[in-house]
């Protein structure tokens, strides 16, 4: 991989023989390491995870502020992945970044074979939040932010109480939240690839988008046991493999 590709993408199990690539987009406050084990469980795919700026290996870089710009930056890297079928998987905020990345790729003539939108469901999407509604120190109350992370189920309470964790992680959690809630949803352009949403049956925090209207390639929603972070305990490997096994190789 090129230096730029390695900056943006983590691939712990390169598979030259794999018939397709799966690119995974983390949730708000997440990093590529969230998907570190996925390559071991999806032998039919070469799994890549997106490295957002402002965390982990890229901690010295500014946290992104424009979700569409972030998606286009990822698309710049993925343009070179046109030699094999390319599928995208995003969880929560990552589902929306994946949506905009798929749009950018299709606009450039790069085929996306499937989009998985996890932690999101069919429905009307919330309106964007205006910049003036965000104070400079949004969300402002670290204790409330930590409590919310624990409530969502994606953060271990003991880890969340660690001062080093709070100093390093809270800034990009808050930055991601600002970016995501300020994102202005666009119904167009519609995708050509199929879309599958995956949502926990106890997920009261799932993002909502009119996914069936956002694609001309077909839409299905799968409800699985669990809350917003169902995929920590039960990653949807079998579902992903089943869907991707049906992808026609170019």
């Amino acid at each position: 991989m090129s230096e730029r590709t390695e900056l943006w993408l983590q691939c712990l199990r390169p598979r030259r023989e794999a018939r397709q690539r799966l690119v995974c987009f983390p949730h708000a406050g997440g990093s590529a390491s969230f998907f570190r084990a996925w390559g071991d469980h999806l032998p039919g795919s070469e799994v890549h995870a997106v490295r957002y700026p402002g965390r982990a290996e890229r901690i010295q870089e500014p946290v992104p502020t424009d979700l569409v710009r972030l998606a286009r930056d990822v698309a710049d890297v993925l343009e070179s992945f046109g030699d094999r079928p390319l599928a995208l998987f995003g969880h929560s905020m990552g589902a929306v970044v994946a949506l905009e990345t798929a749009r950018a790729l299709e606009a450039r003539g790069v085929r996306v074979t499937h989009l998985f939108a996890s932690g999101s469901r069919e429905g009307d999407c919330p309106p964007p939040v205006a910049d003036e509604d965000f104070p400079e120190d949004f969300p402002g109350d670290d204790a409330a932010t930590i409590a919310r992370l624990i409530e969502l189920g994606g953060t271990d309470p003991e880890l969340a109480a660690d001062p080093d964790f709070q100093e390093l992680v809270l800034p990009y959690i808050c930055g991601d939240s600002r970016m995501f809630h300020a994102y202005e949803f666009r119904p167009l352009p519609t995708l050509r690839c199929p879309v599958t949403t995956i949502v926990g049956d106890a997920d009261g925090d799932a993002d909502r988008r009119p996914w069936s209207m956002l694609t001309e390639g077909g839409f299905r929603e799968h409800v699985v046991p669990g809350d917003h972070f169902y995929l920590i305990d039960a990653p949807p490997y079998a579902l992903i493999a089943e869907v991707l096994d049906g992808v026609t190789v170019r």
Side-chain angles (χ1 to χ4, degrees), residues 1 7 20 23 27 35 38 49 62 67 72 81 100 107 129 141 150 152 156 195 242:
M1 292 194 295
L7 175 69
Q20 63 217 351
V23 178
H27 53 281
F35 298 100
W38 282 44
L67 189 146
R72 289 173 181 167
F81 277 23
E100 292 294 348
V129 180
D141 185 339
I150 295 171
L152 285 171
D156 178 81
V195 172
E242 179 183 356

Side-chain angles (χ1 to χ4, degrees), residues 24-212:
C24 300
F25 295 74
H27 53 281
S31 65
S33 64
F34 187 82
F35 298 100
R36 60 186 175 275
W38 282 44
D40 295 330
H41 297 275
L42 291 166
S45 299
E46 184 177 82
V47 178
H48 297 257
V50 177
R51 287 171 162 158
Y52 298 147
R55 69 216 66 201
E57 302 87 350
R58 305 182 69 180
I59 192 69
Q60 300 301 325
E61 300 178 47
V63 177
T65 59
D66 184 327
L67 189 146
V68 175
R69 177 69 264 171
L70 172 62
R72 289 173 181 167
D73 287 342
V74 178
D76 288 344
V77 176
L78 297 182
E79 272 195 271
S80 64
F81 277 23
D83 60 322
R84 283 185 265 174
L86 174 64
L88 309 181
F89 178 101
H91 181 67
S92 197
M93 180 193 80
V96 181
V97 183
L99 164 66
E100 292 294 348
T101 301
R103 284 173 162 173
L105 288 170
E106 290 190 344
R108 304 175 197 191
V110 178
R111 181 189 176 209
V112 177
T113 58
H114 209 94
L115 171 63
F116 296 93
S118 172
S120 188
R121 69 191 331 148
E122 176 80 356
D124 295 329
C125 60
V129 180
D131 286 343
E132 57 267 23
D133 292 334
F134 287 104
E136 286 300 314
D137 59 349
F138 171 81
D141 185 339
D142 288 354
T145 302
I146 293 168
R148 181 61 175 153
L149 292 174
I150 295 171
E151 179 186 354
L152 285 171
T155 305
D156 178 81
E158 184 175 347
L159 177 62
D162 185 278
D164 291 335
F165 171 87
Q166 295 177 22
E167 180 180 358
L168 289 173
V169 176
L170 281 182
Y172 63 77
I173 290 176
C174 296
D176 286 353
S177 295
R178 178 190 288 269
M179 176 180 69
F180 184 42
H181 289 292
Y183 163 72
E184 186 172 354
F185 171 74
R186 303 174 299 152
L188 297 174
T190 53
L191 297 174
R192 292 187 290 275
C193 69
V195 172
T196 297
T197 57
I198 311 172
V199 62
D201 58 6
D203 185 357
D205 297 287
D207 178 53
R208 293 179 181 271
R209 305 280 153 184
W211 290 104
S212 61

